[in-house]
Amino acid sequence: MNLYLGIDFGTSGARGVVIDEEASSIQAEMRYPFQDSAAAVTPKIWQEALFVLVEQIPEGLRRKIKAIAINGTSSTVLLVDAAGNPTDAPLLYNDARGSLVLEDLRRIAPPNHTVLSATSSLAKLCWMRQLPTFSKARYFLHQADWLAFLLHGYLGISDYHNALKLGYDVEELKYPEWQELLQIPIQLPKVLTPGTPVAKLRPEIANKFGLRRDCLVCAGTTDSIAAFLASGAKLPGEAVTSLGSTLVLKLLSRTRVEDARYGIYSHRLGDLWLTGGASNTGGAVLKQFFTNAELESLSREIDASIASELDYYPLLKVGDRFPINDPNLSPRLEPRPDRPVEFLHGLLESIARIEARGYELLQHKGADKFIRVYTAGGGAANDTWTAIRARHLQVPVVASVYTEAAYGTALLAMEGVNNNSKFKIQNSKFKTSSGGDLNPD
């Protein structure tokens, strides 16, 4: 029996899921929580988390793993040298330092392009060019790209989900000509279809962890797309809301929708488009004020059928990406009532309003009318919040079939290797870090 490993790197930790060929049962689940938010931006911790997750898999299952795929947070990026060592600290998904170069980027990129956001990968790269360490860099990678490199040993390889915000044209499957005007002096990743087998595990990794020598490492995806794949959503009009540290909306549509003014972008998903956006509001704000136990107990005291009159815009710090794309948007968390249950009610209600506003905006811009919303992430377990959201969304709100993004990434590995999915695997040829050619099997 062949097994497939999916690994999910989020903002609060890393998770792993092992599935069988039927994808009907989870064989193993692993977790590596980050101790604090600073850990999320440390490659050393990422590497440790990756290998600890593998070690947590029972030895008997490790020997049956046929393929591995990894997802990371969208637009979490880093520069590395010719050996793959980071040359500076990575920039996280919500880092808005790219706002300082947006005017220069607007003169080159098409109007309202996805890259014209302070948090886009390309904006981050343009900002990184002024770092003193930039001269040491040879490759620009996304989080998932670098983690996969640790397993297969080839630098400069990405997938078109991660590369979208770098400016990669997911319709033409190439970097756009206008990007040449930026005269980027380092190697941009070669871009593959998500799930494409890249290479076998490095022999030393296979030997160290008792994995198969022929185990394949596949091109990955982003965490929110992995959550979508895990959800069970398949039809145009079906959507997935990820209620994790942040709020991420994904709506399956026959129409591609792009508008950087509102933080809207579309990922390619077979013959359809996964249109959506990501807000900085979400569970991280709730946990700033409440423990998990408090969230659970106080939520039970809330009457979800009655709307809170409190109108917040819950953020941890200044700036949001969607449905308001404004790096200078201030958090709004006042007035704060004396009773904690009223404050929590206001926060849950306000995040639900932002979610509803996001879906309304996607449809207004041309996406399919949404008919059902699946929910992933830790917030999916909060029944009170689900009821509040359903009141705002006015469509059925259901739990995802599987709520772990790692499960969706394991599916991607399985379908990519077996070549029986909606992800068409293309014949790809790219340079290895040593300059040779590598043709995926």
PDB file of all heavy atoms in Angstrom, residues 182-202:
ATOM      1  N   LEU A 182      12.179  45.156 -14.868  1.00  0.00           N
ATOM      2  CA  LEU A 182      12.658  45.285 -13.491  1.00  0.00           C
ATOM      3  C   LEU A 182      14.135  44.946 -13.363  1.00  0.00           C
ATOM      4  O   LEU A 182      14.784  45.302 -12.373  1.00  0.00           O
ATOM      5  CB  LEU A 182      11.845  44.367 -12.560  1.00  0.00           C
ATOM      6  CG  LEU A 182      10.383  44.741 -12.353  1.00  0.00           C
ATOM      7  CD1 LEU A 182       9.649  43.647 -11.599  1.00  0.00           C
ATOM      8  CD2 LEU A 182      10.279  46.065 -11.600  1.00  0.00           C
ATOM      9  N   GLN A 183      14.666  44.218 -14.362  1.00  0.00           N
ATOM     10  CA  GLN A 183      16.084  43.833 -14.369  1.00  0.00           C
ATOM     11  C   GLN A 183      16.493  43.180 -13.045  1.00  0.00           C
ATOM     12  O   GLN A 183      17.458  43.591 -12.395  1.00  0.00           O
ATOM     13  CB  GLN A 183      16.969  45.045 -14.674  1.00  0.00           C
ATOM     14  CG  GLN A 183      16.714  45.641 -16.055  1.00  0.00           C
ATOM     15  CD  GLN A 183      17.623  46.810 -16.370  1.00  0.00           C
ATOM     16  OE1 GLN A 183      17.981  47.604 -15.504  1.00  0.00           O
ATOM     17  NE2 GLN A 183      18.018  46.932 -17.636  1.00  0.00           N
ATOM     18  N   ILE A 184      15.741  42.180 -12.677  1.00  0.00           N
ATOM     19  CA  ILE A 184      16.007  41.465 -11.426  1.00  0.00           C
ATOM     20  C   ILE A 184      17.300  40.664 -11.586  1.00  0.00           C
ATOM     21  O   ILE A 184      17.414  39.827 -12.484  1.00  0.00           O
ATOM     22  CB  ILE A 184      14.836  40.532 -11.083  1.00  0.00           C
ATOM     23  CG1 ILE A 184      13.567  41.376 -10.863  1.00  0.00           C
ATOM     24  CG2 ILE A 184      15.139  39.695  -9.842  1.00  0.00           C
ATOM     25  CD1 ILE A 184      12.299  40.574 -10.763  1.00  0.00           C
ATOM     26  N   PRO A 185      18.302  40.895 -10.728  1.00  0.00           N
ATOM     27  CA  PRO A 185      19.624  40.309 -10.951  1.00  0.00           C
ATOM     28  C   PRO A 185      19.803  38.898 -10.410  1.00  0.00           C
ATOM     29  O   PRO A 185      20.892  38.336 -10.514  1.00  0.00           O
ATOM     30  CB  PRO A 185      20.556  41.282 -10.225  1.00  0.00           C
ATOM     31  CG  PRO A 185      19.724  41.799  -9.099  1.00  0.00           C
ATOM     32  CD  PRO A 185      18.306  41.862  -9.615  1.00  0.00           C
ATOM     33  N   ILE A 186      18.770  38.323  -9.782  1.00  0.00           N
ATOM     34  CA  ILE A 186      18.912  36.964  -9.254  1.00  0.00           C
ATOM     35  C   ILE A 186      17.919  36.034  -9.928  1.00  0.00           C
ATOM     36  O   ILE A 186      17.028  36.469 -10.658  1.00  0.00           O
ATOM     37  CB  ILE A 186      18.723  36.924  -7.718  1.00  0.00           C
ATOM     38  CG1 ILE A 186      17.305  37.351  -7.355  1.00  0.00           C
ATOM     39  CG2 ILE A 186      19.753  37.785  -7.021  1.00  0.00           C
ATOM     40  CD1 ILE A 186      16.987  37.140  -5.898  1.00  0.00           C
ATOM     41  N   GLN A 187      18.073  34.745  -9.660  1.00  0.00           N
ATOM     42  CA  GLN A 187      17.268  33.718 -10.321  1.00  0.00           C
ATOM     43  C   GLN A 187      15.859  33.644  -9.729  1.00  0.00           C
ATOM     44  O   GLN A 187      15.688  33.394  -8.544  1.00  0.00           O
ATOM     45  CB  GLN A 187      17.960  32.348 -10.160  1.00  0.00           C
ATOM     46  CG  GLN A 187      17.211  31.193 -10.796  1.00  0.00           C
ATOM     47  CD  GLN A 187      17.232  31.272 -12.314  1.00  0.00           C
ATOM     48  OE1 GLN A 187      18.284  31.429 -12.921  1.00  0.00           O
ATOM     49  NE2 GLN A 187      16.066  31.182 -12.923  1.00  0.00           N
ATOM     50  N   LEU A 188      14.861  33.892 -10.569  1.00  0.00           N
ATOM     51  CA  LEU A 188      13.488  33.632 -10.154  1.00  0.00           C
ATOM     52  C   LEU A 188      13.207  32.135 -10.298  1.00  0.00           C
ATOM     53  O   LEU A 188      13.822  31.447 -11.117  1.00  0.00           O
ATOM     54  CB  LEU A 188      12.503  34.423 -11.018  1.00  0.00           C
ATOM     55  CG  LEU A 188      12.554  35.945 -10.889  1.00  0.00           C
ATOM     56  CD1 LEU A 188      11.484  36.585 -11.770  1.00  0.00           C
ATOM     57  CD2 LEU A 188      12.380  36.383  -9.451  1.00  0.00           C
ATOM     58  N   PRO A 189      12.282  31.612  -9.516  1.00  0.00           N
ATOM     59  CA  PRO A 189      12.036  30.167  -9.582  1.00  0.00           C
ATOM     60  C   PRO A 189      11.477  29.724 -10.923  1.00  0.00           C
ATOM     61  O   PRO A 189      10.725  30.455 -11.570  1.00  0.00           O
ATOM     62  CB  PRO A 189      11.007  29.920  -8.466  1.00  0.00           C
ATOM     63  CG  PRO A 189      10.847  31.178  -7.724  1.00  0.00           C
ATOM     64  CD  PRO A 189      11.462  32.275  -8.507  1.00  0.00           C
ATOM     65  N   LYS A 190      11.872  28.534 -11.345  1.00  0.00           N
ATOM     66  CA  LYS A 190      11.189  27.856 -12.438  1.00  0.00           C
ATOM     67  C   LYS A 190       9.855  27.361 -11.888  1.00  0.00           C
ATOM     68  O   LYS A 190       9.798  26.827 -10.785  1.00  0.00           O
ATOM     69  CB  LYS A 190      12.016  26.684 -12.960  1.00  0.00           C
ATOM     70  CG  LYS A 190      13.425  27.045 -13.380  1.00  0.00           C
ATOM     71  CD  LYS A 190      13.435  27.977 -14.581  1.00  0.00           C
ATOM     72  CE  LYS A 190      14.860  28.295 -15.015  1.00  0.00           C
ATOM     73  NZ  LYS A 190      14.903  29.218 -16.160  1.00  0.00           N
ATOM     74  N   VAL A 191       8.786  27.540 -12.637  1.00  0.00           N
ATOM     75  CA  VAL A 191       7.445  27.316 -12.103  1.00  0.00           C
ATOM     76  C   VAL A 191       6.814  26.070 -12.720  1.00  0.00           C
ATOM     77  O   VAL A 191       6.758  25.924 -13.942  1.00  0.00           O
ATOM     78  CB  VAL A 191       6.550  28.545 -12.347  1.00  0.00           C
ATOM     79  CG1 VAL A 191       5.150  28.312 -11.787  1.00  0.00           C
ATOM     80  CG2 VAL A 191       7.178  29.784 -11.706  1.00  0.00           C
ATOM     81  N   LEU A 192       6.328  25.188 -11.855  1.00  0.00           N
ATOM     82  CA  LEU A 192       5.689  23.946 -12.272  1.00  0.00           C
ATOM     83  C   LEU A 192       4.224  23.933 -11.845  1.00  0.00           C
ATOM     84  O   LEU A 192       3.798  24.701 -10.989  1.00  0.00           O
ATOM     85  CB  LEU A 192       6.389  22.738 -11.632  1.00  0.00           C
ATOM     86  CG  LEU A 192       7.886  22.592 -11.865  1.00  0.00           C
ATOM     87  CD1 LEU A 192       8.405  21.346 -11.142  1.00  0.00           C
ATOM     88  CD2 LEU A 192       8.196  22.507 -13.357  1.00  0.00           C
ATOM     89  N   THR A 193       3.465  23.044 -12.443  1.00  0.00           N
ATOM     90  CA  THR A 193       2.094  22.811 -12.011  1.00  0.00           C
ATOM     91  C   THR A 193       2.111  22.232 -10.603  1.00  0.00           C
ATOM     92  O   THR A 193       2.911  21.341 -10.307  1.00  0.00           O
ATOM     93  CB  THR A 193       1.395  21.813 -12.964  1.00  0.00           C
ATOM     94  OG1 THR A 193       1.406  22.361 -14.283  1.00  0.00           O
ATOM     95  CG2 THR A 193      -0.029  21.537 -12.532  1.00  0.00           C
ATOM     96  N   PRO A 194       1.268  22.715  -9.698  1.00  0.00           N
ATOM     97  CA  PRO A 194       1.212  22.130  -8.351  1.00  0.00           C
ATOM     98  C   PRO A 194       1.023  20.620  -8.413  1.00  0.00           C
ATOM     99  O   PRO A 194       0.227  20.109  -9.205  1.00  0.00           O
ATOM    100  CB  PRO A 194      -0.011  22.816  -7.727  1.00  0.00           C
ATOM    101  CG  PRO A 194      -0.118  24.115  -8.459  1.00  0.00           C
ATOM    102  CD  PRO A 194       0.307  23.821  -9.862  1.00  0.00           C
ATOM    103  N   GLY A 195       1.772  19.908  -7.595  1.00  0.00           N
ATOM    104  CA  GLY A 195       1.697  18.452  -7.570  1.00  0.00           C
ATOM    105  C   GLY A 195       2.669  17.748  -8.494  1.00  0.00           C
ATOM    106  O   GLY A 195       2.852  16.529  -8.390  1.00  0.00           O
ATOM    107  N   THR A 196       3.322  18.490  -9.380  1.00  0.00           N
ATOM    108  CA  THR A 196       4.279  17.866 -10.291  1.00  0.00           C
ATOM    109  C   THR A 196       5.431  17.219  -9.512  1.00  0.00           C
ATOM    110  O   THR A 196       6.059  17.874  -8.676  1.00  0.00           O
ATOM    111  CB  THR A 196       4.887  18.911 -11.250  1.00  0.00           C
ATOM    112  OG1 THR A 196       3.846  19.545 -11.977  1.00  0.00           O
ATOM    113  CG2 THR A 196       5.869  18.260 -12.216  1.00  0.00           C
ATOM    114  N   PRO A 197       5.741  15.948  -9.772  1.00  0.00           N
ATOM    115  CA  PRO A 197       6.931  15.353  -9.139  1.00  0.00           C
ATOM    116  C   PRO A 197       8.191  16.107  -9.563  1.00  0.00           C
ATOM    117  O   PRO A 197       8.416  16.312 -10.749  1.00  0.00           O
ATOM    118  CB  PRO A 197       6.928  13.912  -9.663  1.00  0.00           C
ATOM    119  CG  PRO A 197       5.516  13.651 -10.075  1.00  0.00           C
ATOM    120  CD  PRO A 197       4.997  14.967 -10.583  1.00  0.00           C
ATOM    121  N   VAL A 198       8.971  16.534  -8.592  1.00  0.00           N
ATOM    122  CA  VAL A 198      10.195  17.279  -8.883  1.00  0.00           C
ATOM    123  C   VAL A 198      11.402  16.344  -8.914  1.00  0.00           C
ATOM    124  O   VAL A 198      12.152  16.304  -9.882  1.00  0.00           O
ATOM    125  CB  VAL A 198      10.409  18.388  -7.833  1.00  0.00           C
ATOM    126  CG1 VAL A 198      11.746  19.092  -8.053  1.00  0.00           C
ATOM    127  CG2 VAL A 198       9.265  19.394  -7.890  1.00  0.00           C
ATOM    128  N   ALA A 199      11.588  15.596  -7.849  1.00  0.00           N
ATOM    129  CA  ALA A 199      12.737  14.690  -7.759  1.00  0.00           C
ATOM    130  C   ALA A 199      12.530  13.742  -6.584  1.00  0.00           C
ATOM    131  O   ALA A 199      11.657  13.952  -5.737  1.00  0.00           O
ATOM    132  CB  ALA A 199      14.026  15.491  -7.570  1.00  0.00           C
ATOM    133  N   LYS A 200      13.365  12.717  -6.538  1.00  0.00           N
ATOM    134  CA  LYS A 200      13.336  11.804  -5.397  1.00  0.00           C
ATOM    135  C   LYS A 200      13.977  12.475  -4.188  1.00  0.00           C
ATOM    136  O   LYS A 200      14.735  13.434  -4.319  1.00  0.00           O
ATOM    137  CB  LYS A 200      14.090  10.515  -5.740  1.00  0.00           C
ATOM    138  CG  LYS A 200      13.437   9.700  -6.857  1.00  0.00           C
ATOM    139  CD  LYS A 200      14.303   8.509  -7.244  1.00  0.00           C
ATOM    140  CE  LYS A 200      13.702   7.758  -8.426  1.00  0.00           C
ATOM    141  NZ  LYS A 200      14.571   6.637  -8.871  1.00  0.00           N
ATOM    142  N   LEU A 201      13.671  11.949  -3.030  1.00  0.00           N
ATOM    143  CA  LEU A 201      14.298  12.427  -1.800  1.00  0.00           C
ATOM    144  C   LEU A 201      15.816  12.347  -1.897  1.00  0.00           C
ATOM    145  O   LEU A 201      16.363  11.426  -2.530  1.00  0.00           O
ATOM    146  CB  LEU A 201      13.855  11.559  -0.617  1.00  0.00           C
ATOM    147  CG  LEU A 201      12.527  11.842   0.072  1.00  0.00           C
ATOM    148  CD1 LEU A 201      12.290  10.754   1.116  1.00  0.00           C
ATOM    149  CD2 LEU A 201      12.531  13.207   0.737  1.00  0.00           C
ATOM    150  N   ARG A 202      16.481  13.306  -1.288  1.00  0.00           N
ATOM    151  CA  ARG A 202      17.934  13.184  -1.162  1.00  0.00           C
ATOM    152  C   ARG A 202      18.232  11.884  -0.413  1.00  0.00           C
ATOM    153  O   ARG A 202      17.581  11.566   0.599  1.00  0.00           O
ATOM    154  CB  ARG A 202      18.483  14.372  -0.383  1.00  0.00           C
ATOM    155  CG  ARG A 202      18.360  15.691  -1.099  1.00  0.00           C
ATOM    156  CD  ARG A 202      18.488  16.874  -0.160  1.00  0.00           C
ATOM    157  NE  ARG A 202      19.708  16.821   0.634  1.00  0.00           N
ATOM    158  CZ  ARG A 202      19.925  17.599   1.690  1.00  0.00           C
ATOM    159  NH1 ARG A 202      18.978  18.439   2.109  1.00  0.00           N
ATOM    160  NH2 ARG A 202      21.059  17.518   2.353  1.00  0.00           N
TER     161      ARG A 202
END
